[in-house]
Amino acid sequence: MKSNLTTLGPKADKDTVRRSNLSLVLRAVRDEGEREATRAGVAARVGLTRAAVSSLVEQLLDSGFLTESGKTFSGQAGRPGTALKVARTGPAGLGVEVNIDYVSVCVVDLAGTGRVRLTEHLDNRGAPPAEVLARAARIAARTLDSAAEQELFPVGVALALPGLVSGGTVRQAPNLGWNQVPAEELFAASLAALRPDQPEVPVSSENEANLAALAELWFGGLDEIRSFLYLTGEIGVGGALVIDGELLRGAHGFAGEIGHVVVDAQGPECRCGSRGCLEQYAGQAALLRAAGIEETGSGIGVAELQRRARAGDGRAVAAVVEAGRMLGRVLSGAVNLLDPDAVVLGGIYRGLMPWLSPSVDEELTGRVVSGLWSPRGGRLRASSVAGDAARGAAALVMQDVLTDPVAYAAQVAYAAQVAGRNRSRAAPA
C-alpha cells in the first residue's frame, strides 16, 4: 500500500531546523532585555555550539533583527564578546483597539517596547461599522507615519475588537450593535486606500479582552503567575482566561464572555438579548448611572466617578461597592470552576480598586469553596498600566516575527526600501 506521508528532503529539514534555531537565538537575545547578551551566553542558553550561534547571529544582523555594540566582559576566561541587542528599528507590530467610546493604536518593536501611541475618544455607538473602521484606519495611518519616522515598519496589524470575534468577523458586539461584520476586510480596505504608495500590511483580529490579558501576561506585574482570570470593565464587561501562559479561547473562540453571565434572571434587559447580565450591574454605564453621573462617551464620566469616590461622595462609593459585590458573585463561580492563581481587574476597574476590591474580596471569600480565597492572599489584583488591548494586539504580531523571523525579513526590507524611496521624492530639490 502506498503511504500518504510525504517525507521531507534533507534541504527542507535543514531549512526548518535553521529557521527554528534563528527563532531560538532571537528570543534568547530579546529575553535578556537590558542586560548584555553575547554569542557565548546565547549558545549556553539555547544549547547550540558557539559556531552555530555565530552563524545564526550574523544572519539576524544582516536582516536587521539584531544589532551589536562594543566589547563586553563576562568575567570568565577568553576573549570579550560583542554585546547583542534586538534592533530598535525594522520590524514592528501595530495594534488597533476599537471600543465603544474610543480607538487606541499602538506600535511595539521587537523588544515589546511601546514606541508610538495614539488614542482618540469617539462615540462609536450606532455608527455604521464601515465608518467606525475607517476612523480607526485613519488613526492607524497616522501612527504608521510616526513609526516610519523612527524607521519602524509594522509587518502586521492586529485588531482588538469587543464581542464575539472569529475568522476576521465580529459575529456579535451588542454594545456596538454589530452583527456579522467583516472587520478585517473593511479595515484593510480603508487602510490601503489611505496609503496607496505603501506596501499592504496583513490584518488579523481578536477579542479585546483576550489581547488585554496577553498584554498583562507579557508586560504586567504578574511575576511567576501564569494562570489567571482577567476581567476588563469598559462600556461592556469582558473576560479572558490564561492557563499556563496560554490563552484559553474555547471550542469556537468565544470563551470569556463573563459580562453576559446572568446575575438576576428578572433583571434589566441587556443588549445581548438576555436579562440581568453582569454588564447591567458592573459595566461603565451602570456604574455612572448608579452614581448619578452623566455618561459623555469621552472618559470624563469615569474620571468624575473616581474624583467623587476619593472625596467620599456617598452615592459614588455605594455605586462602586455594589458593582464590586456583583463582580464578586460572578467571579466566585469562575474561581470555583477554574481555580486560577489570580483574578486581575483591568479597564475602568483598575482606577476604582480602592473602593471596589473590598466588596469583590468579601464575595469571593464567602463563596469560593472550602475557604480557599483569602482577602489577604494577593490573588485579587489590579492590572498594570501595560496591560491594555492595543499593546497586546501589537505584541501578538511580534510573536509571529519571533517565531519565524525569516518569514518577515523580505517584508521588512521592502518596506524600508519603499520608505526610503518616498523620503527621496519628498526631499526638496
Side-chain angles (χ1 to χ4, degrees):
M1 181 182 294
K2 186 176 179 180
S3 171
N4 290 324
L5 295 175
T6 301
T7 304
L8 292 174
K11 184 178 187 304
D13 279 344
K14 287 178 66 176
D15 286 347
T16 301
V17 170
R18 186 169 183 83
R19 290 172 85 130
S20 176
N21 287 340
L22 283 165
S23 173
L24 280 175
V25 169
L26 183 58
R27 286 180 184 274
V29 176
R30 191 279 309 265
D31 290 346
E32 288 296 323
E34 294 303 312
R35 299 186 298 271
E36 292 182 336
T38 63
R39 289 168 173 78
V42 170
R45 179 167 182 166
V46 302
L48 296 172
T49 65
R50 171 75 181 271
V53 167
S54 290
S55 173
L56 296 164
V57 164
E58 290 303 321
Q59 185 172 342
L60 291 168
L61 288 168
D62 290 343
S63 300
F65 287 74
L66 292 181
T67 61
E68 62 181 342
S69 55
K71 303 294 183 181
T72 182
F73 294 86
S74 65
Q76 299 177 351
R79 292 182 298 174
T82 54
L84 301 170
K85 297 275 188 185
V86 291
R88 288 185 55 80
T89 59
L94 183 74
V96 179
E97 181 184 3
V98 178
N99 220 304
I100 290 85
D101 56 357
Y102 66 89
V103 171
S104 188
V105 182
C106 179
V107 173
V108 302
D109 60 19
L110 264 175
T113 304
R115 301 286 295 277
V116 185
R117 167 79 72 166
L118 286 178
T119 299
E120 287 192 14
H121 289 282
L122 303 162
D123 189 356
N124 294 320
R125 282 167 289 196
E131 181 182 322
V132 173
L133 291 161
R135 293 172 185 169
R138 286 194 290 272
I139 300 169
R142 297 204 309 272
T143 309
L144 287 167
D145 290 342
S146 297
E149 291 173 2
Q150 299 182 49
E151 297 185 63
L152 288 166
F153 308 106
V155 297
V157 181
L159 301 177
L161 302 166
L164 307 180
V165 182
S166 71
T169 297
V170 178
R171 306 297 175 184
Q172 185 184 38
N175 290 307
L176 281 171
W178 290 9
N179 287 285
Q180 303 300 323
V181 173
E184 289 180 14
E185 179 184 330
L186 291 171
F187 178 88
S190 292
L191 187 63
L194 291 165
R195 308 175 79 244
D197 58 341
Q198 299 291 332
E200 287 192 21
V201 184
V203 179
S204 60
S205 58
E206 176 62 89
N207 172 267
E208 50 92 18
N210 285 347
L211 291 168
L214 289 176
E216 191 66 31
L217 173 70
W218 294 329
F219 309 117
L222 292 176
D223 300 322
E224 300 302 314
I225 291 176
R226 305 284 290 169
S227 298
F228 61 95
L229 181 62
Y230 182 90
L231 208 68
T232 179
E234 302 290 350
I235 300 297
V237 178
L241 181 65
V242 174
I243 299 294
D244 293 332
E246 297 290 335
L247 191 64
L248 183 68
R249 288 186 169 86
H252 305 97
F254 303 147
E257 286 297 314
I258 197 168
H260 298 290
V261 172
V262 174
V263 176
D264 179 358
Q266 305 305 316
E269 187 174 344
C270 183
R271 288 186 178 91
C272 73
S274 185
R275 301 188 73 90
C277 295
L278 175 63
E279 189 174 288
Q280 298 304 307
Y281 300 92
Q284 179 176 307
L287 268 164
L288 296 181
R289 187 169 55 249
I293 298 172
E294 183 181 357
E295 187 180 4
T296 62
S298 63
I300 296 173
V302 175
E304 176 63 13
L305 177 60
Q306 292 180 23
R307 188 194 69 76
R308 292 189 189 184
R310 281 194 298 269
D313 179 87
R315 189 172 178 183
V317 171
V320 179
V321 169
E322 181 60 20
R325 190 167 290 116
M326 294 302 186
L327 283 168
R329 288 178 188 175
V330 171
L331 285 169
S332 64
V335 171
N336 279 328
L337 181 66
L338 302 167
D339 188 30
D341 285 328
V343 172
V344 182
L345 301 184
I348 65 170
Y349 299 143
R350 188 171 67 85
L352 295 171
M353 285 297 280
W355 310 278
L356 192 72
S357 60
S359 55
V360 176
D361 252 331
E362 182 181 352
E363 290 292 325
L364 285 165
T365 302
R367 296 176 184 274
V368 171
V369 69
S370 302
L372 294 179
W373 188 276
S374 167
R376 292 173 296 280
R379 293 174 69 186
L380 181 66
R381 296 166 172 243
S383 69
S384 70
V385 292
D388 72 274
R391 187 176 182 186
L396 188 63
V397 173
M398 299 314 292
Q399 290 298 310
D400 290 338
V401 178
L402 290 165
T403 298
D404 188 5
V406 171
Y408 294 91
Q411 183 181 343
V412 173
Y414 178 62
Q417 182 182 9
V418 170
R421 196 160 56 233
N422 290 338
R423 280 195 298 271
S424 297
R425 288 173 182 163

